[in-house]
Amino acid sequence: MTTHTTTPKTARTPTADTRPGLIGIPPHIGRALATGGGLLTIVSTFLAWTWTAEFPGDLTVYGYPGGLQVLVLIGGALTTLFGLASYGVKGLRLLAPSGADAAVRFTALAAFATTWYTITAISTQLGGLVNLEPGAYVAAAATLITLLGALALPFERPEPDPFDPDDTGWEKFRHTTAQNWQAIRAAFAPGTPRPVRALPAYAEILLIVAVLAIALTVFTYGIGTEYDELFVGFLIMAGFGFAALNASGLIPQITQITARHQNITICGAFLAAACFPFTQTDDQYATIGVYILIFATVALGLNIVVGLAGLLDLGYVAFLGVGAYAASLVSGSQSSPFGVHFPFWAAVLVGAAASLVFGVLIGAPTLRLRGDYLAIVTLGFGEIFRIAANNLDGTSGPDLTNGSNGISSIPDLKILGFDLGIQHDIAGFTIGRFANYFFLMLVITAVVVLVFRRSGDSRIGRAWVAIREDETAALAMGINGFRVKLVAFAVGATLAGLAGTVQAHVTYTVTPEQYLFAGTSPPNSAFLLAAVVLGGMGTIAGPLIGASLLFLIPNKLQFLGDYQLFAFGLALVLLMRFRPEGLIANKRRKLEFHEEAEAPAVLSKTGA
């Protein structure tokens, strides 16, 4: 006799095609709208958007995208690719290890925002919607359809919390708002990453090369934007594009690959950066490049103090000034009271040594303080340095810094007979003055990266991290907290002085007003600290990327005038809200800021 056992029926788990999206459109229709809308967006960029070439970028040409149309084309292409990946098209699933739906939402939002910003700018600048051609209306409709389809894609909704019957109307409103906000965050959150087959070593190295080439192209495009509207569109597309790649799981996967080949990645990054001056025809943007490297090098030095040791230093820019003043006084300037002209290597040693001495002198009596008290003392040191440099003019004090006029007419550097102040022809390329200093700062940045990496992996580096996490516990384990913090302070000050020696020769003049706590443009202490926090504390790439953004964006947003700092501050608030661990975060900080992230599993004996 055969017995049949029956299993109780359970509720069917909603599949990807039945789970609801943010709007009432069925998910399968939404996926088709998003993919088809992406294709239509691509087509619309080959149409004319306006009839006159008075709008920058010349959007009057049929069959050839220009200006902001190129950015919309990229957004439409990414939306189409991720849309096809969501269908499971073979070969495209590699673009979305964590699922493509969240990435489609971001890319659709990027294309929509860039398109409608362009249409608004055309209408405002040229005087009304009458200046739009049919291509603009097609692009507006296509991106709107794409966005609606993307919002209809399924996602895992969080379980709603029950209402408390004793809540007031305001508390119920806050409760409903919080639940809606959780649903929106879930809609744009990445899915569960799928296991990806490991690539051969040579394939991973080729992938790293491709990523570095794309990064160089994006950076060169951003720094070379010729007009304000194009840069704003670039920011929109780059921001949402980064979010899309992160939501798809592609950036975390590339991060794992670069971590396995860290030495190759670092060397490749410097080689890619060395190619930047060869992409420029004059010194206009190479000038921005060398200032970015100076700012990034100082930020990386501050990362030792703040990111590794956990010491909040609000006067760090003063060490940059000490190095710059020390180097300018011995570099043959006519404003220097010493009247000496040291060679470059000697001037570098003088600037670094002066900053080291000041770092020890300031750190020795103050590093026994913690937290806010230490921050206030370092802020005071930064202001004292600026005021002292302003008063050492021979009237209020000794004649050393020439007061508010500063040290001027600092001559260009000559290294082994190579004059960095004149143009040179290399392999058919003309390398100007700022390009020469760009290569010099690239070498100094490499030295700073090497010091940061070696010190961070050393015994003293582990002691810094222990002090940062819990100073009381570190002291109980036998770590000399004062000595460890003093070493961090001294190393960070030395690296800042090293960058200051080059800054003095690049700017020709060193004045006290260059070293404020806060101002409209970097470098200053507030921007340096923001670069470390924004980029990612305790990492190498984080402060470099953060410093690049914090220098480039204010430089390009000068057309906003009095609203520049408002827009910049609003962007920082949004970034810290959605990615508080920074753009490039280490695993520890990512787990600290995201409670929903799973802790790493303990390795078993078989998996070790």
PDB file of all heavy atoms in Angstrom, residues 366-387:
ATOM      1  N   THR A 366      49.849  69.896  23.780  1.00  0.00           N
ATOM      2  CA  THR A 366      48.401  69.869  23.530  1.00  0.00           C
ATOM      3  C   THR A 366      47.826  68.476  23.340  1.00  0.00           C
ATOM      4  O   THR A 366      46.613  68.299  23.492  1.00  0.00           O
ATOM      5  CB  THR A 366      48.061  70.698  22.277  1.00  0.00           C
ATOM      6  OG1 THR A 366      48.730  70.140  21.144  1.00  0.00           O
ATOM      7  CG2 THR A 366      48.505  72.149  22.459  1.00  0.00           C
ATOM      8  N   LEU A 367      48.657  67.491  23.013  1.00  0.00           N
ATOM      9  CA  LEU A 367      48.115  66.175  22.671  1.00  0.00           C
ATOM     10  C   LEU A 367      47.667  65.369  23.878  1.00  0.00           C
ATOM     11  O   LEU A 367      47.197  64.245  23.720  1.00  0.00           O
ATOM     12  CB  LEU A 367      49.149  65.384  21.856  1.00  0.00           C
ATOM     13  CG  LEU A 367      49.300  65.857  20.406  1.00  0.00           C
ATOM     14  CD1 LEU A 367      50.370  65.052  19.686  1.00  0.00           C
ATOM     15  CD2 LEU A 367      47.986  65.761  19.658  1.00  0.00           C
ATOM     16  N   ARG A 368      47.823  65.919  25.075  1.00  0.00           N
ATOM     17  CA  ARG A 368      47.234  65.254  26.237  1.00  0.00           C
ATOM     18  C   ARG A 368      45.742  65.567  26.357  1.00  0.00           C
ATOM     19  O   ARG A 368      45.052  64.998  27.200  1.00  0.00           O
ATOM     20  CB  ARG A 368      47.969  65.676  27.510  1.00  0.00           C
ATOM     21  CG  ARG A 368      49.449  65.290  27.487  1.00  0.00           C
ATOM     22  CD  ARG A 368      50.120  65.531  28.813  1.00  0.00           C
ATOM     23  NE  ARG A 368      51.543  65.282  28.733  1.00  0.00           N
ATOM     24  CZ  ARG A 368      52.124  64.083  28.811  1.00  0.00           C
ATOM     25  NH1 ARG A 368      51.369  63.014  28.977  1.00  0.00           N
ATOM     26  NH2 ARG A 368      53.429  63.949  28.723  1.00  0.00           N
ATOM     27  N   LEU A 369      45.276  66.471  25.496  1.00  0.00           N
ATOM     28  CA  LEU A 369      43.852  66.759  25.436  1.00  0.00           C
ATOM     29  C   LEU A 369      43.167  65.792  24.475  1.00  0.00           C
ATOM     30  O   LEU A 369      43.811  65.157  23.649  1.00  0.00           O
ATOM     31  CB  LEU A 369      43.626  68.201  24.966  1.00  0.00           C
ATOM     32  CG  LEU A 369      44.252  69.300  25.817  1.00  0.00           C
ATOM     33  CD1 LEU A 369      44.075  70.653  25.150  1.00  0.00           C
ATOM     34  CD2 LEU A 369      43.653  69.317  27.215  1.00  0.00           C
ATOM     35  N   ARG A 370      41.844  65.726  24.572  1.00  0.00           N
ATOM     36  CA  ARG A 370      41.086  64.831  23.703  1.00  0.00           C
ATOM     37  C   ARG A 370      39.893  65.568  23.107  1.00  0.00           C
ATOM     38  O   ARG A 370      39.430  66.570  23.641  1.00  0.00           O
ATOM     39  CB  ARG A 370      40.555  63.619  24.481  1.00  0.00           C
ATOM     40  CG  ARG A 370      41.606  62.695  25.060  1.00  0.00           C
ATOM     41  CD  ARG A 370      40.929  61.475  25.670  1.00  0.00           C
ATOM     42  NE  ARG A 370      41.861  60.592  26.356  1.00  0.00           N
ATOM     43  CZ  ARG A 370      41.505  59.442  26.935  1.00  0.00           C
ATOM     44  NH1 ARG A 370      40.237  59.058  26.884  1.00  0.00           N
ATOM     45  NH2 ARG A 370      42.398  58.699  27.544  1.00  0.00           N
ATOM     46  N   GLY A 371      39.436  65.034  21.992  1.00  0.00           N
ATOM     47  CA  GLY A 371      38.172  65.458  21.406  1.00  0.00           C
ATOM     48  C   GLY A 371      38.076  66.933  21.097  1.00  0.00           C
ATOM     49  O   GLY A 371      38.958  67.529  20.464  1.00  0.00           O
ATOM     50  N   ASP A 372      36.992  67.550  21.567  1.00  0.00           N
ATOM     51  CA  ASP A 372      36.716  68.942  21.243  1.00  0.00           C
ATOM     52  C   ASP A 372      37.789  69.880  21.777  1.00  0.00           C
ATOM     53  O   ASP A 372      38.076  70.909  21.159  1.00  0.00           O
ATOM     54  CB  ASP A 372      35.350  69.348  21.799  1.00  0.00           C
ATOM     55  CG  ASP A 372      34.223  68.515  21.237  1.00  0.00           C
ATOM     56  OD1 ASP A 372      34.419  67.947  20.139  1.00  0.00           O
ATOM     57  OD2 ASP A 372      33.161  68.417  21.871  1.00  0.00           O
ATOM     58  N   TYR A 373      38.376  69.554  22.919  1.00  0.00           N
ATOM     59  CA  TYR A 373      39.390  70.428  23.498  1.00  0.00           C
ATOM     60  C   TYR A 373      40.632  70.474  22.600  1.00  0.00           C
ATOM     61  O   TYR A 373      41.222  71.536  22.393  1.00  0.00           O
ATOM     62  CB  TYR A 373      39.756  69.938  24.903  1.00  0.00           C
ATOM     63  CG  TYR A 373      38.566  69.866  25.820  1.00  0.00           C
ATOM     64  CD1 TYR A 373      37.917  68.662  26.072  1.00  0.00           C
ATOM     65  CD2 TYR A 373      38.068  71.019  26.432  1.00  0.00           C
ATOM     66  CE1 TYR A 373      36.814  68.597  26.902  1.00  0.00           C
ATOM     67  CE2 TYR A 373      36.965  70.966  27.265  1.00  0.00           C
ATOM     68  CZ  TYR A 373      36.340  69.754  27.488  1.00  0.00           C
ATOM     69  OH  TYR A 373      35.240  69.707  28.314  1.00  0.00           O
ATOM     70  N   LEU A 374      41.023  69.320  22.062  1.00  0.00           N
ATOM     71  CA  LEU A 374      42.150  69.291  21.139  1.00  0.00           C
ATOM     72  C   LEU A 374      41.819  70.066  19.869  1.00  0.00           C
ATOM     73  O   LEU A 374      42.672  70.784  19.329  1.00  0.00           O
ATOM     74  CB  LEU A 374      42.500  67.841  20.801  1.00  0.00           C
ATOM     75  CG  LEU A 374      43.614  67.639  19.765  1.00  0.00           C
ATOM     76  CD1 LEU A 374      44.932  68.223  20.278  1.00  0.00           C
ATOM     77  CD2 LEU A 374      43.790  66.158  19.441  1.00  0.00           C
ATOM     78  N   ALA A 375      40.589  69.952  19.382  1.00  0.00           N
ATOM     79  CA  ALA A 375      40.190  70.673  18.170  1.00  0.00           C
ATOM     80  C   ALA A 375      40.275  72.182  18.385  1.00  0.00           C
ATOM     81  O   ALA A 375      40.736  72.924  17.507  1.00  0.00           O
ATOM     82  CB  ALA A 375      38.775  70.268  17.774  1.00  0.00           C
ATOM     83  N   ILE A 376      39.848  72.658  19.562  1.00  0.00           N
ATOM     84  CA  ILE A 376      39.891  74.091  19.836  1.00  0.00           C
ATOM     85  C   ILE A 376      41.327  74.586  19.891  1.00  0.00           C
ATOM     86  O   ILE A 376      41.654  75.657  19.367  1.00  0.00           O
ATOM     87  CB  ILE A 376      39.148  74.391  21.159  1.00  0.00           C
ATOM     88  CG1 ILE A 376      37.652  74.109  20.988  1.00  0.00           C
ATOM     89  CG2 ILE A 376      39.374  75.840  21.591  1.00  0.00           C
ATOM     90  CD1 ILE A 376      36.870  74.213  22.271  1.00  0.00           C
ATOM     91  N   VAL A 377      42.223  73.814  20.498  1.00  0.00           N
ATOM     92  CA  VAL A 377      43.622  74.219  20.602  1.00  0.00           C
ATOM     93  C   VAL A 377      44.263  74.277  19.217  1.00  0.00           C
ATOM     94  O   VAL A 377      44.992  75.233  18.891  1.00  0.00           O
ATOM     95  CB  VAL A 377      44.388  73.265  21.534  1.00  0.00           C
ATOM     96  CG1 VAL A 377      45.889  73.537  21.470  1.00  0.00           C
ATOM     97  CG2 VAL A 377      43.892  73.407  22.963  1.00  0.00           C
ATOM     98  N   THR A 378      44.025  73.273  18.376  1.00  0.00           N
ATOM     99  CA  THR A 378      44.613  73.287  17.032  1.00  0.00           C
ATOM    100  C   THR A 378      44.033  74.415  16.189  1.00  0.00           C
ATOM    101  O   THR A 378      44.743  75.003  15.365  1.00  0.00           O
ATOM    102  CB  THR A 378      44.371  71.935  16.336  1.00  0.00           C
ATOM    103  OG1 THR A 378      42.965  71.636  16.334  1.00  0.00           O
ATOM    104  CG2 THR A 378      45.108  70.820  17.063  1.00  0.00           C
ATOM    105  N   LEU A 379      42.754  74.722  16.386  1.00  0.00           N
ATOM    106  CA  LEU A 379      42.167  75.866  15.691  1.00  0.00           C
ATOM    107  C   LEU A 379      42.862  77.158  16.109  1.00  0.00           C
ATOM    108  O   LEU A 379      43.165  78.020  15.272  1.00  0.00           O
ATOM    109  CB  LEU A 379      40.676  75.953  15.992  1.00  0.00           C
ATOM    110  CG  LEU A 379      39.923  77.168  15.444  1.00  0.00           C
ATOM    111  CD1 LEU A 379      39.996  77.211  13.926  1.00  0.00           C
ATOM    112  CD2 LEU A 379      38.467  77.158  15.913  1.00  0.00           C
ATOM    113  N   GLY A 380      43.145  77.275  17.390  1.00  0.00           N
ATOM    114  CA  GLY A 380      43.871  78.447  17.870  1.00  0.00           C
ATOM    115  C   GLY A 380      45.270  78.531  17.295  1.00  0.00           C
ATOM    116  O   GLY A 380      45.745  79.625  16.945  1.00  0.00           O
ATOM    117  N   PHE A 381      45.951  77.396  17.160  1.00  0.00           N
ATOM    118  CA  PHE A 381      47.295  77.420  16.574  1.00  0.00           C
ATOM    119  C   PHE A 381      47.262  77.909  15.139  1.00  0.00           C
ATOM    120  O   PHE A 381      48.118  78.697  14.711  1.00  0.00           O
ATOM    121  CB  PHE A 381      47.909  76.023  16.635  1.00  0.00           C
ATOM    122  CG  PHE A 381      49.090  75.845  15.720  1.00  0.00           C
ATOM    123  CD1 PHE A 381      50.266  76.554  15.921  1.00  0.00           C
ATOM    124  CD2 PHE A 381      49.018  74.986  14.630  1.00  0.00           C
ATOM    125  CE1 PHE A 381      51.354  76.403  15.067  1.00  0.00           C
ATOM    126  CE2 PHE A 381      50.090  74.828  13.777  1.00  0.00           C
ATOM    127  CZ  PHE A 381      51.260  75.540  13.996  1.00  0.00           C
ATOM    128  N   GLY A 382      46.271  77.465  14.377  1.00  0.00           N
ATOM    129  CA  GLY A 382      46.172  77.917  12.995  1.00  0.00           C
ATOM    130  C   GLY A 382      45.982  79.418  12.896  1.00  0.00           C
ATOM    131  O   GLY A 382      46.603  80.087  12.051  1.00  0.00           O
ATOM    132  N   GLU A 383      45.156  79.982  13.769  1.00  0.00           N
ATOM    133  CA  GLU A 383      44.949  81.426  13.750  1.00  0.00           C
ATOM    134  C   GLU A 383      46.186  82.165  14.257  1.00  0.00           C
ATOM    135  O   GLU A 383      46.526  83.246  13.757  1.00  0.00           O
ATOM    136  CB  GLU A 383      43.729  81.780  14.601  1.00  0.00           C
ATOM    137  CG  GLU A 383      42.414  81.313  14.009  1.00  0.00           C
ATOM    138  CD  GLU A 383      42.167  81.911  12.641  1.00  0.00           C
ATOM    139  OE1 GLU A 383      42.168  83.141  12.500  1.00  0.00           O
ATOM    140  OE2 GLU A 383      41.994  81.126  11.684  1.00  0.00           O
ATOM    141  N   ILE A 384      46.864  81.631  15.257  1.00  0.00           N
ATOM    142  CA  ILE A 384      48.079  82.263  15.778  1.00  0.00           C
ATOM    143  C   ILE A 384      49.154  82.329  14.695  1.00  0.00           C
ATOM    144  O   ILE A 384      49.851  83.342  14.543  1.00  0.00           O
ATOM    145  CB  ILE A 384      48.593  81.498  17.020  1.00  0.00           C
ATOM    146  CG1 ILE A 384      47.648  81.741  18.203  1.00  0.00           C
ATOM    147  CG2 ILE A 384      50.015  81.921  17.379  1.00  0.00           C
ATOM    148  CD1 ILE A 384      47.960  80.885  19.399  1.00  0.00           C
ATOM    149  N   PHE A 385      49.281  81.249  13.919  1.00  0.00           N
ATOM    150  CA  PHE A 385      50.282  81.250  12.849  1.00  0.00           C
ATOM    151  C   PHE A 385      49.987  82.339  11.831  1.00  0.00           C
ATOM    152  O   PHE A 385      50.888  83.090  11.422  1.00  0.00           O
ATOM    153  CB  PHE A 385      50.313  79.883  12.165  1.00  0.00           C
ATOM    154  CG  PHE A 385      51.007  79.904  10.834  1.00  0.00           C
ATOM    155  CD1 PHE A 385      52.388  79.952  10.756  1.00  0.00           C
ATOM    156  CD2 PHE A 385      50.276  79.920   9.641  1.00  0.00           C
ATOM    157  CE1 PHE A 385      53.030  79.999   9.526  1.00  0.00           C
ATOM    158  CE2 PHE A 385      50.907  79.970   8.420  1.00  0.00           C
ATOM    159  CZ  PHE A 385      52.295  80.010   8.366  1.00  0.00           C
ATOM    160  N   ARG A 386      48.732  82.460  11.413  1.00  0.00           N
ATOM    161  CA  ARG A 386      48.383  83.459  10.411  1.00  0.00           C
ATOM    162  C   ARG A 386      48.609  84.877  10.932  1.00  0.00           C
ATOM    163  O   ARG A 386      49.155  85.735  10.227  1.00  0.00           O
ATOM    164  CB  ARG A 386      46.918  83.276   9.993  1.00  0.00           C
ATOM    165  CG  ARG A 386      46.469  84.221   8.897  1.00  0.00           C
ATOM    166  CD  ARG A 386      45.012  83.966   8.537  1.00  0.00           C
ATOM    167  NE  ARG A 386      44.130  84.137   9.672  1.00  0.00           N
ATOM    168  CZ  ARG A 386      43.663  85.315  10.083  1.00  0.00           C
ATOM    169  NH1 ARG A 386      44.017  86.427   9.447  1.00  0.00           N
ATOM    170  NH2 ARG A 386      42.856  85.392  11.116  1.00  0.00           N
ATOM    171  N   ILE A 387      48.211  85.125  12.187  1.00  0.00           N
ATOM    172  CA  ILE A 387      48.379  86.469  12.755  1.00  0.00           C
ATOM    173  C   ILE A 387      49.860  86.781  12.945  1.00  0.00           C
ATOM    174  O   ILE A 387      50.310  87.911  12.686  1.00  0.00           O
ATOM    175  CB  ILE A 387      47.610  86.572  14.084  1.00  0.00           C
ATOM    176  CG1 ILE A 387      46.099  86.438  13.817  1.00  0.00           C
ATOM    177  CG2 ILE A 387      47.908  87.884  14.791  1.00  0.00           C
ATOM    178  CD1 ILE A 387      45.260  86.350  15.074  1.00  0.00           C
TER     179      ILE A 387
END
